[in-house]
Amino acid sequence: GHESRPGLLENLVPWQPGTPFDQARLLALQRSLAELDYFSAIDITPEPEDAVAGQVPVKVALAMGKRNVYSAGLRAGTDTGLGVTAGLERRWVNDRGHKFKALASLAQRRNDVTVQYKVPAFKWLDGWYTLSASVREEPIDLVDNQLVELVGSRSGKIGNWDLVAAMNLRRERYEDSVTGQDYSYSTLVSPSLWAKWARTDDLLYPRRAMGVTLELSGGSTGLGSDIDFVQLRAQGQWIHGFGRRDRLLLRAEAGTTVSDDFALFPPSLRFYAGGDRSVRGYGYREIGQYFEDVNGDRYVFGGKHLMVASVEYERMFTREWGGAVFVDAGDAFDSFDAYEWEVGVGFGVRWRSPVGPVRVDIAHGLGDAAQSSLRLHFNIG
């Protein structure tokens, strides 16, 4: 058995003695306790028959889960290729409820290793203090790219908003995209804010859902960053069901970067479009500012700004199987005077599998950036 330090969990209780009884507050406590991922069972029982002077006792019974969680898996994605993952999570390190996690992912087109330490922060706002370190290697359009990142953050929740404030230190090494020979280096120190609002009637197969994610970051030479910059990214999704079989899915993404030194901006933070979760019909990061070498080969090196939009209509023919048609469009560009929409159209198969939604799409990119006439996109979850 394991006991947490007295007073640790009491901060999560969303009421004070004397507050009018409300079932919704019990559900909020259940959700908060479940999100901690300490427990294998949570039982919250009001006992009105034992009420004294109009005060209803609430009994909370908790059973601890397994302390260590080991994971291993295979991954396959059109964007990253075939790969393997392995992880270790210590659900609690001590009686203060600290957590530790390590995850390694090795794939054909992306390798990364991350370690993370989390400390509960329940007094002011449900959330966590997190310190993480990661190392990543990811070629961007055949240009070698390596990145080390340290992040200290504080997460929390206000209403339906999930919020994270962070300080990021990044050191990146990348090949000179023109010659492919010399390495360039980038050091960025940047505070950031991340916010997500979502509402859905079903996490796996929503009939009615909408969500917005906002991300703001800024680097300052006064903090030790190579360059000054501000970057904003926003994403939105909207899903609406018609009858029992049909759904309309809309999504949009936009981003912008403000910097006088954008030529020194590292490749991993520039904007790109194309791929499974962007403009289908194009390869991962196939759309963006580019240059052509003497052989006419195109090399994409990202853009200052981003705009992507998608419209998809889905129809389920049986309880598990269905189809979809879609139009995606987007571009990553440096100047609002010179962007052109790259458009992809296609159709796909939908399978509501036991492990979550499976989507297989065949798409055709209509613009000049498309490297293949037809492209297969595959997603689980």
Side-chain angles (χ1 to χ4, degrees):
H2 168 85
E3 290 187 5
S4 61
R5 180 164 291 206
L8 176 69
L9 300 176
E10 280 78 350
N11 290 308
L12 294 172
V13 178
W15 66 80
Q16 299 292 330
T19 305
F21 181 82
D22 184 354
Q23 188 74 26
R25 292 180 193 270
L26 301 187
L27 291 171
L29 177 58
Q30 172 110 19
R31 193 164 53 244
S32 292
L33 290 170
E35 286 174 356
L36 294 178
D37 195 33
Y38 295 144
F39 311 109
S40 59
I42 301 166
D43 186 22
I44 300 177
T45 313
E47 298 177 331
E49 66 276 4
D50 296 332
V52 177
Q55 290 206 347
V56 178
V58 176
K59 182 181 175 185
V60 180
L62 303 170
M64 298 304 292
K66 289 186 177 176
R67 186 172 194 170
N68 296 319
V69 180
Y70 303 94
S71 61
L74 297 173
R75 61 182 295 177
T78 333
D79 294 350
T80 56
L82 289 171
V84 294
T85 60
L88 161 66
E89 182 177 0
R90 204 160 169 82
R91 278 174 162 158
W92 67 89
V93 174
N94 50 32
D95 64 359
R96 294 183 177 89
H98 295 190
K99 287 176 173 285
F100 173 80
K101 187 189 241 179
L103 183 67
S105 176
L106 306 175
Q108 286 172 298
R109 290 186 288 281
R110 177 176 167 138
N111 299 315
D112 59 76
V113 178
T114 299
V115 293
Q116 186 183 78
Y117 195 88
K118 295 173 76 171
V119 176
F122 301 151
K123 284 188 179 176
W124 170 59
L125 205 65
D126 282 17
W128 301 87
Y129 295 107
T130 303
L131 182 65
S132 69
S134 58
V135 180
R136 190 165 84 229
E137 184 177 40
E138 182 176 25
I140 297 177
D141 206 2
L142 305 178
V143 172
D144 201 20
N145 193 68
Q146 287 119 17
L147 170 70
V148 177
E149 186 170 30
L150 292 173
V151 181
S153 68
R154 166 67 158 103
S155 64
K157 202 176 181 76
I158 299 178
N160 284 332
W161 285 93
D162 290 314
L163 305 168
V164 181
M167 179 62 79
N168 310 271
L169 169 60
R170 302 165 57 96
R171 175 73 168 169
E172 189 164 337
R173 183 179 88 156
Y174 53 95
E175 282 179 314
D176 185 293
S177 53
V178 178
T179 65
Q181 298 295 320
D182 302 322
Y183 279 104
S184 298
Y185 293 85
S186 166
T187 301
L188 296 184
V189 182
S190 58
S192 64
L193 287 171
W194 178 93
K196 180 181 180 180
W197 177 91
R199 194 169 66 198
T200 179
D201 59 355
D202 186 331
L203 285 173
L204 267 184
Y205 305 108
R207 306 284 305 158
R208 288 177 180 263
M210 59 200 315
V212 175
T213 305
L214 304 170
E215 196 169 356
L216 174 67
S217 61
S220 168
T221 50
L223 295 173
S225 185
D226 286 350
I227 59 174
D228 296 311
F229 73 93
V230 174
Q231 191 173 67
L232 175 66
R233 180 191 288 261
Q235 292 174 283
Q237 286 181 303
W238 185 79
I239 299 173
H240 187 81
F242 297 93
R244 301 178 71 175
R245 294 174 176 267
D246 297 36
R247 292 194 309 171
L248 178 66
L249 299 92
L250 306 180
R251 62 179 163 86
E253 186 176 3
T256 189
T257 312
V258 179
S259 177
D260 290 336
D261 301 306
F262 189 71
L264 302 176
F265 210 56
S268 69
L269 283 179
R270 294 175 181 233
F271 289 117
Y272 304 84
D276 299 345
R277 299 173 187 275
S278 181
V279 183
R280 288 164 289 186
Y282 296 79
Y284 180 50
R285 291 178 164 174
E286 201 168 76
I287 301 170
Q289 289 291 131
Y290 66 93
F291 68 88
E292 290 185 356
D293 64 13
V294 290
N295 300 319
D297 292 327
R298 177 191 293 237
Y299 291 90
V300 176
F301 57 92
K304 262 189 182 183
H305 315 291
L306 174 73
M307 288 198 295
V308 173
S310 170
V311 180
E312 180 170 325
Y313 199 87
E314 176 189 280
R315 181 173 182 84
M316 299 303 293
F317 300 112
T318 70
R319 191 176 180 83
E320 285 89 23
W321 292 93
V325 292
F326 55 85
V327 179
D328 298 344
D331 194 15
F333 52 95
D334 280 355
S335 167
F336 284 95
D337 300 327
Y339 75 90
E340 3 178 318
W341 288 99
E342 297 280 350
V343 178
V345 297
F347 63 92
V349 174
R350 301 292 177 263
W351 176 34
R352 294 185 175 180
S353 81
V355 296
V358 175
R359 303 186 291 278
V360 180
D361 293 320
I362 294 175
H364 173 52
L366 303 178
D368 295 337
Q371 299 295 304
S372 307
S373 57
L374 286 177
R375 193 170 280 275
L376 180 73
H377 297 279
F378 178 74
N379 261 303
I380 300 178

